[in-house]
Amino acid sequence: MIIHQLNTTNSILNTFISEIRDESIQQDSMRFRRNIERIGEILGYELSKTLNYTKNIIQTPLGKKEVSLINNDIVLCSILRAGLPLHQGLQNYFDKAENAYISAYRHHPNNDAEFEIVVEYFASPSLENKTLLLADPMLATGNSLVAVLEALKKNGTPKEIHLVCVIGASEGIEYIKKHFPKNTHLWIAAVDDTLNDKGYIIPGLGDAGDLAFGEKL
Ligand code: URA
């Protein structure tokens, strides 16, 4: 796996990360969603530098100009529901991409510490030979991403996968490294050291889905 952790370079990205973490700011759900979207735009811009380009001739009203344009067939896939604002940020830039949505949630049959990942809803075009951008804001244990990777297989094998995440835990990154193809890129804004006993990233930001969309039963 090729890991690109973006907050190690000083940039405006760190302002957006600090606002989604800050408990006095993150309660404004519209601002929380918009900040995640802005982070998605930055991650998307950075990953666009590694895509394939072909030269095109553009006709302006006054002449012709050669421009290199992306030629990958891109599918944006997000894990519902927390992935939606990140998906929106990617879609703002990759506006011609196809889109896929998959649900994955933590089911706690016994207690809070133990959970299994349940994948239910899945709507996706063919992924065969495409460039898959898989958006999941919080890479905690890595279990959801691995369960989603398994479910996506029935729609074909992508040429390459770019995982797009906002905050990750080192443990989860180690876990997904073992399950995703070696040429997978991980684009991540920030990495924290630990998980608590409920599988939440510490210090992280809390529950990204609840902060974006409100609590659920
Ligand atoms: N999902 C979240 O929203 N937050 C975490 O810390 C871990 C998983």
Side-chain angles (χ1 to χ4, degrees):
M1 183 166 290
I2 306 133
I3 300 174
H4 312 263
Q5 184 186 335
L6 299 193
N7 71 337
T8 51
T9 304
N10 286 339
S11 78
I12 188 75
L13 174 69
N14 285 340
T15 305
F16 306 148
I17 301 171
S18 71
E19 289 193 6
I20 57 172
R21 287 189 193 269
D22 188 327
E23 62 181 358
S24 65
I25 300 176
Q26 63 173 200
Q27 295 305 322
D28 177 347
S29 61
M30 187 171 73
R31 188 162 169 189
F32 183 82
R33 290 193 302 272
R34 181 65 189 118
N35 275 326
I36 298 264
E37 191 180 323
R38 296 201 279 191
I39 293 170
E41 289 170 352
I42 291 170
L43 293 167
Y45 173 72
E46 290 297 327
L47 82 79
S48 75
K49 297 175 186 173
T50 64
L51 298 177
N52 297 325
Y53 288 78
T54 46
K55 293 196 167 115
N56 287 251
I57 304 293
I58 304 299
Q59 177 73 55
T60 80
L62 301 175
K64 292 186 195 307
K65 184 72 183 173
E66 189 179 272
V67 190
S68 292
L69 298 175
I70 294 169
N71 68 9
N72 301 61
D73 292 324
I74 298 174
V75 179
L76 306 178
C77 178
S78 60
I79 304 182
L80 299 174
R81 63 186 167 142
L84 288 174
L86 195 55
H87 191 113
Q88 185 59 55
L90 293 169
Q91 204 174 22
N92 291 348
Y93 284 7
F94 301 104
D95 43 282
K96 295 191 180 77
E98 294 178 283
N99 294 276
Y101 300 92
I102 186 161
S103 72
Y105 66 90
R106 293 175 171 188
H107 175 55
H108 299 265
N110 304 317
N111 55 51
D112 267 359
E114 276 175 37
F115 60 86
E116 58 189 16
I117 303 295
V118 181
V119 172
E120 277 174 352
Y121 181 77
F122 177 39
S124 167
S126 166
L127 300 175
E128 191 62 34
N129 227 15
K130 308 255 178 86
T131 298
L132 175 65
L133 274 52
L134 184 52
D136 188 14
M138 305 300 282
L139 198 182
T141 62
N143 286 315
S144 321
L145 277 173
V146 171
V148 162
L149 176 69
E150 197 51 40
L152 293 177
K153 281 183 183 162
K154 65 173 180 288
N155 276 32
T157 308
K159 186 174 76 174
E160 57 188 342
I161 302 176
H162 294 266
L163 300 174
V164 181
C165 302
V166 177
I167 299 179
S170 311
E171 188 182 317
I173 295 173
E174 287 309 309
Y175 181 70
I176 61 164
K177 269 190 201 168
K178 295 185 197 126
H179 290 86
F180 276 79
K182 282 213 161 14
N183 67 343
T184 301
H185 288 260
L186 169 64
W187 300 90
I188 190 155
V191 177
D192 291 353
D193 288 336
T194 46
L195 292 175
N196 69 10
D197 58 2
K198 294 180 182 164
Y200 276 82
I201 299 171
I202 305 298
L205 51 73
D207 189 303
D210 286 358
L211 288 163
F213 301 113
E215 287 182 14
K216 57 183 170 24
L217 290 177

